[in-house]
Amino acid sequence: MRARRSPRRVLPRPGLTVASAAAVAVALLPLVYLAVRAGEAGWDRLTTELLTERLAVLAGRSLALAAVVTAACTVLGVGAALLVARTDLPGRRAFGVVAALPLAVPTYVAGFAWIATVDGFAGFWAAALLLTVCSYPYVFLPAVAALTRADPGQEEVSRSLGRGPWATLLGVTLRQIRPAVAAGALLVALYVLSDFGAVSLVQVDTFTRAIFTAFNLGFDRTGALVLSTVLVVLTVLLIGAELTTRTRDARYASTAVRPPVRLGLGRWRWPAVTALLAVLALALGVPAVGLARWLAAGVSRPGSLAEIAAAAGGSLSVSLAGAAFTMLLALPLGLLAARAPGPVTTLLERLTYVAHALPGVVIGLSLVFFAVNVAYPLYQSRWLLALAYATLFLPLAVGAVASAAAQSPPAVEEAARSLGRGPFAVFRTVTLPLTLPGIGAGAALTFLTCMKELPATLLLRPTGMDTLATELWTHTSTAAYAAAAPYAAILVVLAAVPTWLLAARTGLTDPGGTR
Amino acid sequence: MQKRLSVILTATLAGLLSLTACGGGDESDPGKPGDKRLTIYSGRSETLVKPVLEKFEKSSGIKVDVRYGTTAQMAAQLLEEGERSPADAFLAQDAGALGAVTKAGQLATLPQEVLDRVPAAYRASGGQWVGVSGRSRVLAYNADQVTQDQLPKSVFELTDPRWKGKIGVAPTNGSFQAFVTALRVQHGDARAKEFLTGLKANEPQIRDNNVQIVADIDAGKIAAGLVNHYYVYEMAKERGGDPATLKARLHFFPDGDTGGLVNAAGIGLLKRAGSDPDARALVDHLLGAEAQTYFATQTFEYPLAAGIPAAPGLPQLAALDAPKIDLNDLDTLDATVAMIKESGLA
């Protein structure tokens, strides 16, 4: 029985694999569109658009920005995670929650605030700073989760063999959390490649900006889409690079979590607190001051409370639909990744990332194309928008489900089965409850990312429906900043709720740090 | 075994998809002529256009569903939708976007009596779109940094080393592209190319849009910039004051210089709405005295119909020494785009 269900089979769990493949197909819809349009453009057009010095420069700059931001986010994210999870930092539980909150601030809101606050805030390093303070939680959150759940046994062995606490931290603990950090770093890198809001505000010419420029210049769709194919290639390279950091056995958690050993910071306690506060001032303080200034400096006001409520309702409803749909697609993939690791699973899981670095406008247009040609009844319904969110954010959800499922050893399920439970009963009574925290985390992360999404929302929303993000865009595009400020504030506050939930479930906030 | 779970998941997925299929159908506009419902794609901002459309709904009893986006994005969406577009009308910020959709054969020809309400320069020669409001290209400048006597007579002077690093431009903006096309039409490709090369060599301050340029001029970060005339008024409105209190001022290029091109924001009807009385009512409303007065006094644009005067403080459209350019001649956008790219400005 055990041998027959060994995970070494080439195509394990056919049903789960098929459901996963269906989810991947959804995530790859934009690629079909790109292929169709690139095919129409023809080889000559492709070569003349792509083989230019300017594109090489832009691609180089995008990759450099991605490298700088990813490195900075890794240092910042892991550093902050170690401080709150493994040291005696004063107020570490509060820091653990607050340090995740920058995830709730859309980069375009932060960008506006920085420009208004700092004179001459522009250029490559401005973009790097902006993107770093907005996206380091992508590394911080998984790092904290991994640190609070890592098996202290390995550390204890290291200590007992004579290594000091810091040497153990560097040599054992960081190694344990490496897969979690690498996955977060990949998300950061892909986000930087796809970001348009921040880079356009601080005037850095990146590849994504070239795509938007092509759309605007002469309304040239084909040129823009041809450029997008390059982003797909860059993404595949990044995914390959991240794969090399994966170890064979990524199951790093133990079921019985003991409180980890905390390191004494000694006289570094207060410098560490100051450093964290400084990061938070940049990530949260500047946007808050920026919004307050908008309100104070302008006389425009949003239409009415009803309008704001309608926009908030729109945001909530499409983001909930998006998160639900994304989780539905992510569940089989996440379970497959945790229960049947192997080449097929890895391929399927990695494929969900391929469209992740494409700018929202390309995803939006590809779903317009899909709906108009294949699923017209879906067109301009919120379900198509939910589908777009799923293609955009599936990797966020799959990662969360997979890591939660990986933490529940298959032995528990097998024991339930051997005691006579049917597979569905096992799923309902064992797998689902054990995976539920992961599903919740994935849903929260997807939900808050959906809230912030703008370009695809503009293209795909039902006609006449507003969200907080679209209202914010509407008002800022006519310089009505004071009217925009309440939308931005509510957007950040609503997105902060799932962020808080995410931070809370890392286990940091539990009394005594035990679970 | 595990299969059943997957079957359940797949079934749920399929169920959700079919549910969505039903949900989507109810909301869309069947788009029958005369059904008192219109779907409008607006490349013009909601803040500027919504009040006019609300008035239209009230006076006509026609319900409008509006999609707002940027003009370029709306054009891309319409082109992607092709014949299946649910849109009845396309409200665009500039003639170029209307031209792109016209070229794809998606716009219906408007009746002559509608077209005749607007001067010939501000409507499609084939009759597929009509201008609703005019916007003049200007040089906005910071009054502390540029004195009256330093203001250029011609846009060509901006390639002079005197303006090095001081000029804000938004090369990816439709309004800038229309201006470059006008340069090509008036002065030929060689001269236009020379201007762009000279401008690039003068290290201009590149921005994404006119709003950013005007804000930077007012803040003293840039001395001057090529923008549309109404942005300064929009900013004054947001600050709650008179444009005269701003540091940013307007300079209209004299003597028919290309720098003073007057472009039009306009409307075109998609083919499915060509004979729809509701759509016709919308066009009539936009060209009527009430809407034209709104555009003059609230968006600070130039009314193009109904003999309405421009906002106080602005020179009248007729008094502008705008270049004699037919917007229909500005349809060679591809060449302009290639030229802007080649110059390194975008």
Side-chain angles (χ1 to χ4, degrees):
Chain A
M1 178 77 183
R2 282 190 66 93
R4 196 167 58 79
R5 301 198 309 111
S6 139
R8 293 271 170 252
R9 282 195 328 201
V10 181
L11 195 71
R13 313 200 178 198
L16 210 52
T17 309
V18 168
S20 301
V24 169
V26 169
L28 292 184
L29 278 178
L31 291 200
V32 176
Y33 172 71
L34 280 187
V36 169
R37 287 285 178 252
E40 278 175 13
W43 188 248
D44 285 348
R45 179 82 199 266
L46 274 173
T47 49
T48 49
E49 286 278 349
L50 294 181
L51 300 179
T52 66
E53 195 191 325
R54 178 168 168 270
L55 274 201
V57 171
L58 290 179
R61 192 175 293 135
S62 276
L63 285 177
L65 189 62
V68 169
V69 173
T70 308
C73 283
T74 307
V75 171
L76 207 57
V78 174
L82 285 174
L83 281 177
V84 299
R86 285 300 170 90
T87 68
D88 58 352
L89 185 84
R92 58 196 162 74
R93 281 190 207 124
F95 272 123
V97 173
V98 181
L101 286 185
L103 207 53
V105 183
T107 49
Y108 46 86
V109 170
F112 270 120
W114 274 91
I115 290 175
T117 312
V118 182
D119 255 357
F121 189 78
F124 183 89
W125 295 105
L129 174 67
L130 194 54
L131 288 166
T132 301
V133 295
C134 286
S135 26
Y136 79 85
Y138 279 122
V139 176
F140 171 76
L141 281 171
V144 172
L147 281 172
T148 45
R149 303 224 169 92
D151 184 357
Q154 291 189 28
E155 290 176 7
E156 286 156 14
V157 169
S158 166
R159 294 291 292 275
S160 71
L161 291 174
R163 280 214 221 180
W166 290 99
T168 299
L169 181 78
L170 296 175
V172 178
T173 317
L174 286 185
R175 209 171 274 248
Q176 278 180 308
I177 66 168
R178 193 173 64 178
V181 171
L186 176 65
L187 290 178
V188 172
L190 296 182
Y191 179 77
V192 173
L193 286 185
S194 74
D195 177 77
F196 174 68
V199 295
S200 75
L201 283 170
V202 296
Q203 299 152 35
V204 183
D205 255 326
T206 61
F207 210 87
T208 310
R209 199 158 172 231
I211 293 174
F212 275 76
T213 302
F215 271 119
N216 287 327
L217 277 177
F219 315 104
D220 174 23
R221 236 173 347 142
T222 312
L225 297 173
V226 165
L227 292 180
S228 303
T229 56
V230 177
L231 272 185
V232 175
V233 174
L234 293 182
T235 308
V236 170
L237 292 178
L238 280 176
I239 295 171
E242 193 258 356
L243 262 186
T244 61
T245 73
R246 295 252 165 144
T247 44
R248 278 244 161 243
D249 185 8
R251 186 170 294 134
Y252 44 85
S254 62
T255 37
V257 177
R258 279 165 288 162
V261 185
R262 291 194 183 278
L263 297 174
L265 283 172
R267 63 198 174 89
W268 291 102
R269 277 167 67 115
W270 295 108
V273 168
T274 315
L276 270 185
L277 283 176
V279 170
L280 292 175
L282 296 182
L284 299 171
V286 173
V289 171
L291 289 186
R293 279 196 189 192
W294 274 4
L295 262 182
V299 298
S300 64
R301 289 291 175 257
S304 62
L305 277 179
E307 250 171 54
I308 298 180
S315 274
L316 288 176
S317 86
V318 294
S319 302
L320 277 175
F325 197 60
T326 310
M327 290 322 295
L328 201 61
L329 295 178
L331 198 55
L333 260 173
L335 289 178
L336 192 72
R339 288 289 175 269
V344 178
T345 304
T346 308
L347 179 71
L348 286 175
E349 195 217 342
R350 300 282 98 179
L351 279 175
T352 62
Y353 284 84
V354 173
H356 196 59
L358 287 175
V361 65
V362 174
I363 304 284
L365 275 182
S366 62
L367 285 164
V368 170
F369 172 82
F370 165 75
V372 164
N373 289 299
V374 182
Y376 197 65
L378 278 186
Y379 191 50
Q380 293 184 358
S381 72
R382 63 195 62 204
W383 299 109
L384 189 68
L385 187 52
L387 192 66
Y389 290 152
T391 62
L392 273 166
F393 306 131
L394 194 55
L396 302 178
V398 172
V401 175
S403 65
Q407 278 159 13
S408 60
V412 180
E413 287 165 21
E414 280 159 17
R417 291 278 278 286
S418 69
L419 293 172
R421 289 263 175 114
F424 183 67
V426 171
F427 174 74
R428 198 170 45 83
T429 57
V430 180
T431 315
L432 199 61
L434 282 172
T435 325
L436 214 51
I439 297 173
L445 189 56
T446 315
F447 175 82
L448 84 96
T449 324
C450 291
M451 293 273 293
K452 298 190 289 181
E453 209 286 333
L454 177 63
T457 310
L458 277 177
L459 275 166
L460 297 172
R461 61 182 166 153
T463 298
M465 191 201 72
D466 289 316
T467 70
L468 292 166
T470 65
E471 286 283 12
L472 183 56
W473 167 81
T474 298
H475 292 293
T476 50
S477 64
T478 48
Y481 295 117
Y487 293 106
I490 296 172
L491 177 54
V492 172
V493 168
L494 286 182
V497 175
T499 314
W500 181 79
L501 291 176
L502 276 174
R505 73 165 283 280
T506 56
L508 263 182
T509 47
D510 299 338
T514 49
R515 296 169 54 82
Chain B
M1 317 259 302
Q2 195 76 37
K3 266 184 214 161
R4 258 174 58 193
L5 158 62
S6 312
V7 168
I8 289 163
L9 281 174
T10 325
T12 322
L13 230 171
L16 196 87
L17 270 171
S18 54
L19 247 181
T20 65
C22 310
D26 304 334
E27 290 172 24
S28 67
D29 166 22
K32 293 189 192 76
D35 63 354
K36 295 279 175 194
R37 268 190 95 165
L38 282 177
T39 302
I40 302 172
Y41 280 18
S42 173
R44 304 205 54 191
S45 170
E46 181 170 0
T47 6
L48 301 182
V49 169
K50 198 178 179 185
V52 178
L53 296 177
E54 278 176 351
K55 279 268 168 63
F56 170 69
E57 281 191 311
K58 263 193 201 137
S59 63
S60 66
I62 294 166
K63 162 121 181 50
V64 295
D65 298 309
V66 198
R67 281 189 88 72
Y68 293 97
T70 66
T71 290
Q73 191 189 57
M74 285 288 142
Q77 183 154 16
L78 281 169
L79 295 173
E80 201 58 73
E81 290 169 346
E83 309 227 310
R84 303 198 78 172
S85 176
D88 294 305
F90 178 30
L91 262 175
Q93 217 163 21
D94 67 281
L98 288 162
V101 183
T102 302
K103 262 194 186 162
Q106 288 180 252
L107 295 184
T109 310
L110 295 165
Q112 195 61 39
E113 69 264 27
V114 171
L115 295 166
D116 283 342
R117 295 169 70 173
V118 169
Y122 304 121
R123 64 191 199 215
S125 53
Q128 291 93 346
W129 56 265
V130 60
V132 172
S133 54
R135 47 257 314 267
S136 174
R137 296 290 294 171
V138 294
L139 184 77
Y141 63 97
N142 183 299
D144 290 345
Q145 299 182 19
V146 182
T147 58
Q148 292 272 344
D149 56 308
Q150 289 172 333
L151 291 170
K153 300 258 179 307
S154 160
V155 73
F156 286 104
E157 289 176 35
L158 297 180
T159 58
D160 191 284
R162 186 160 78 82
W163 293 102
K164 197 168 189 121
K166 290 182 175 170
I167 298 295
V169 285
T172 57
N173 207 271
S175 59
F176 183 82
Q177 293 162 39
F179 154 69
V180 174
T181 316
L183 271 184
R184 293 177 41 234
V185 169
Q186 267 200 317
H187 302 280
D189 279 6
R191 189 85 196 278
K193 202 169 173 176
E194 193 185 298
F195 171 77
L196 289 176
T197 318
L199 190 65
K200 170 71 185 170
N202 237 356
E203 295 164 19
Q205 302 281 327
I206 307 281
R207 296 290 181 273
D208 261 356
N209 56 49
N210 292 322
V211 175
Q212 289 177 17
I213 295 180
V214 171
D216 282 353
I217 290 173
D218 193 60
K221 292 178 191 166
I222 313 181
L226 290 171
V227 294
N228 288 345
H229 77 273
Y230 48 87
Y231 287 100
V232 170
Y233 288 81
E234 264 180 15
M235 194 167 65
K237 193 173 166 190
E238 172 67 5
R239 305 267 170 89
D242 190 340
T245 59
L246 295 182
K247 291 277 179 249
R249 302 282 158 81
L250 297 186
H251 170 57
F252 290 84
F253 287 97
D255 307 324
D257 186 78
T258 323
L261 173 75
V262 176
N263 203 334
I267 185 170
L269 298 183
L270 276 291
K271 282 207 162 137
R272 64 180 227 152
S275 53
D276 185 344
D278 301 342
R280 169 69 191 274
L282 174 69
V283 178
D284 285 339
H285 177 80
L286 291 176
L287 297 178
E290 193 186 359
Q292 290 289 307
T293 307
Y294 171 85
F295 286 120
T297 56
Q298 298 302 310
T299 70
F300 310 101
E301 292 171 283
Y302 285 109
L304 293 179
I308 304 295
L314 269 181
Q316 295 302 314
L317 185 56
L320 286 184
D321 211 344
K324 302 278 174 283
I325 287 174
D326 190 329
L327 292 181
N328 287 292
D329 296 334
L330 303 184
D331 61 354
T332 54
L333 210 52
D334 292 352
T336 301
V337 168
M339 201 178 272
I340 294 177
K341 275 189 188 167
E342 210 178 304
S343 73
L345 282 169

